[in-house]
Amino acid sequence: MTTRTHRKNISVFINWCIFKRYMHQYTLKNIPKPPLSATLPKYYEQDRIEAILYAIEICSRTAFERVRNKAIIAVGCMTGLRRGELLALRLSDLDLINRVVHVQATTSKSKKERYVPIPLKLYEILTAYISVRNESAAVGCVDLWVSSTTGSKLSHEGLKHITEKLSKQLGFKLRMHSLRHSYGTFSYAVSHDIVAVQQNIGHSDLNTTMKYVAALSKDKHDTAEL
């Protein structure tokens, strides 16, 4: 996937060179794209998600960190937002009255805005976080997630520090993207509406979302073999 991404970025540059007449032909035309391996999404079962939440309880230094980190994990596994989308959230992106979170097109990988439903349990967690967030945030900060030390926007490094600390306590690597996969897998398991899952999770291609169907099918097969 990394190689294909680099190839895509180089392709944009080459097309610009052709447009500017610095080059006269598309040089990547005869170089095939590396095939993607048919790997199934790695998601967390319910017991692991509960273990993550328990680790937050015992690892957090302050009550604010405990409530904030729980909210971050809950948003990850109950909305399926990508790490960048999650970190880019502002307070104004939460509509707690209608219980939806607004993912802006500028922060979405697909460059399309979407509205993701907020389950009741997540609503309760977010409400609890916002009440303490407003007391800890720096004046004028409009970002949803704030640093426990500065009160300003939580950075990528800040989130990395949180996941690494929890990983040491858990004994396995906590990946935000696996929380996203958990949302996709469980959402399909409950609804069996693959189009709705695609829209909520923000996939441009339905075939990408279909991996969650395959993951569930494999788990059922493995269970039958026990």
Side-chain angles (χ1 to χ4, degrees):
M1 178 61 77
T2 301
T3 303
R4 288 169 66 100
T5 300
H6 288 324
R7 189 184 190 282
K8 180 180 178 181
N9 292 337
I10 293 171
S11 179
V12 173
F13 174 67
I14 290 176
N15 285 332
W16 177 83
C17 288
I18 293 173
F19 176 75
K20 291 290 187 177
R21 299 182 183 274
Y22 299 137
M23 297 174 63
H24 302 290
Q25 61 180 353
Y26 185 72
T27 55
L28 295 181
K29 181 172 61 176
N30 297 321
I31 302 177
K33 295 180 182 179
L36 292 177
S37 58
T39 54
L40 296 178
K42 297 179 180 179
Y43 65 94
Y44 297 127
E45 296 284 0
Q46 187 63 35
D47 59 341
R48 286 219 158 181
I49 292 176
E50 291 175 359
I52 295 168
L53 295 175
Y54 179 71
I56 291 172
E57 291 291 329
I58 62 178
C59 282
S60 301
R61 296 178 303 171
T62 64
F64 170 74
E65 284 189 4
R66 185 178 300 111
V67 177
R68 181 200 61 188
N69 295 352
K70 182 179 180 181
I72 289 173
I73 297 300
V75 169
C77 64
M78 293 188 201
T79 66
L81 266 62
R82 300 176 179 91
R83 180 177 56 183
E85 295 170 342
L86 183 145
L87 282 174
L89 287 176
R90 295 186 170 193
L91 277 174
S92 58
D93 293 325
L94 292 186
D95 183 349
L96 294 180
I97 296 177
N98 296 306
R99 281 174 41 194
V100 293
V101 55
H102 181 201
V103 180
Q104 302 283 349
T106 53
T107 65
S108 172
K109 184 178 179 181
S110 62
K111 301 304 178 185
K112 295 180 181 178
E113 69 172 356
R114 66 184 191 277
Y115 292 87
V116 185
I118 297 176
L120 179 59
K121 182 62 178 177
L122 179 57
Y123 168 83
E124 295 171 350
I125 292 172
L126 283 172
T127 301
Y129 166 65
I130 290 174
S131 65
V132 297
R133 177 247 178 239
N134 292 339
E135 297 174 0
S136 303
V139 176
C141 179
V142 298
D143 299 286
L144 177 60
W145 311 113
V146 298
S147 166
S148 58
T149 55
T150 65
S152 57
K153 180 180 180 180
L154 181 69
S155 64
H156 282 269
E157 286 300 316
L159 179 58
K160 183 180 178 181
H161 175 74
I162 293 170
T163 56
E164 287 180 346
K165 183 177 180 180
L166 289 172
S167 296
K168 291 179 181 179
Q169 177 67 34
L170 290 163
F172 63 85
K173 189 169 182 61
L174 171 57
R175 300 179 184 276
M176 294 301 296
H177 211 70
S178 292
L179 293 176
R180 173 174 164 82
H181 289 327
S182 299
Y183 170 81
T185 304
F186 296 144
S187 292
Y188 177 73
V190 171
S191 68
H192 287 88
D193 187 341
I194 196 64
V195 175
V197 175
Q198 178 198 12
Q199 293 172 345
N200 288 340
I201 211 162
H203 284 157
S204 299
D205 188 348
L206 183 61
N207 288 328
T208 305
T209 318
M210 288 297 293
K211 290 184 178 181
Y212 298 125
V213 180
L216 282 175
S217 299
K218 180 181 182 300
D219 286 346
K220 289 179 180 178
H221 178 77
D222 290 345
T223 303
E225 295 294 330
L226 296 177

